[in-house]
Amino acid sequence: MPLPLLKPTNEKLPLASQPLLINYANPGLAPFLLAEGLSSMETLLTNIQGLLKGALDSARSHTEQSRLEKTELKLQLERERDARYTLQRQLSTELQATVWIQRRLKKEKKAKRKLQEELELQILHRCTVIPEKEINQQKTPAAQENKPPL
């Protein structure tokens, strides 16, 4: 006579007319205890049912733990994405500031170079013009001495 191997955990296998004696001090061992008057096949099926119940509880526990771990990993991934986005935004801002500073530095260097060139031209001009004026001024008093007074 074929007997079903899986039954819902809240149902008991139909046993013979004799009830299963349970040790109430440790109910977890109840399916594994040999009961009085049960055939060895019924005892075996009761033990299998207990094992299946334990496996089902373990699978449920593992599934719940996996679900919690998956949820935590998703939250961690979201936090890391937010952090990466924030860092990318900061990097972009810093790069823009660097570009702006480099442009300004280039303009200032160009202005400094232009001022330096103008200064060098003025120095060169003064070096050439001032001695000529001095020479002219020196010649002028001598020429004025030779001229008769008016």
Side-chain angles (χ1 to χ4, degrees), residues 19-23 29-44 46-47:
L20 178 65
L21 297 178
I22 299 174
N23 181 356
L29 296 176
F32 302 104
L33 297 176
L34 293 176
E36 291 180 11
L38 292 180
S39 69
S40 61
M41 180 61 89
E42 290 171 335
T43 303
L44 181 61
T46 303
N47 289 344

Side-chain angles (χ1 to χ4, degrees), residues 7 12-16 42:
K7 285 261 185 189
K12 300 278 186 194
L13 285 176
L15 300 176
E42 290 171 335

Side-chain angles (χ1 to χ4, degrees), residues 54-69:
L56 180 64
D57 290 344
S58 176
R60 283 183 184 154
S61 172
H62 180 71
T63 302
E64 180 65 17
Q65 183 179 359
S66 295
R67 187 186 64 76
L68 290 174
E69 287 175 2

Side-chain angles (χ1 to χ4, degrees), residues 104-128:
R104 185 167 177 174
L105 180 62
K106 186 177 178 182
K107 286 179 182 179
E108 288 179 4
K109 282 182 178 180
K110 187 176 179 180
K112 180 182 176 185
R113 200 173 21 239
K114 186 176 178 182
L115 285 173
Q116 186 68 32
E117 289 173 1
E118 288 177 10
L119 179 63
E120 288 172 2
L121 286 174
Q122 282 184 353
I123 291 172
L124 181 63
H125 180 67
R126 285 184 183 176
C127 287
T128 57

Side-chain angles (χ1 to χ4, degrees), residues 40-100:
S40 61
M41 180 61 89
E42 290 171 335
T43 303
L44 181 61
L45 291 174
T46 303
N47 289 344
I48 291 172
Q49 184 181 17
L51 289 172
L52 291 173
K53 183 182 184 302
L56 180 64
D57 290 344
S58 176
R60 283 183 184 154
S61 172
H62 180 71
T63 302
E64 180 65 17
Q65 183 179 359
S66 295
R67 187 186 64 76
L68 290 174
E69 287 175 2
K70 185 177 177 182
T71 303
E72 180 60 33
L73 288 173
K74 282 182 179 180
L75 289 173
Q76 183 180 359
L77 178 64
E78 190 62 33
R79 285 190 300 266
E80 289 177 2
R81 280 183 184 157
D82 290 344
R84 188 186 81 211
Y85 176 74
T86 301
L87 289 174
Q88 284 177 336
R89 204 173 29 184
Q90 287 175 353
L91 177 62
S92 175
T93 303
E94 292 296 324
L95 288 174
Q96 288 174 352
T98 302
V99 167
W100 181 80

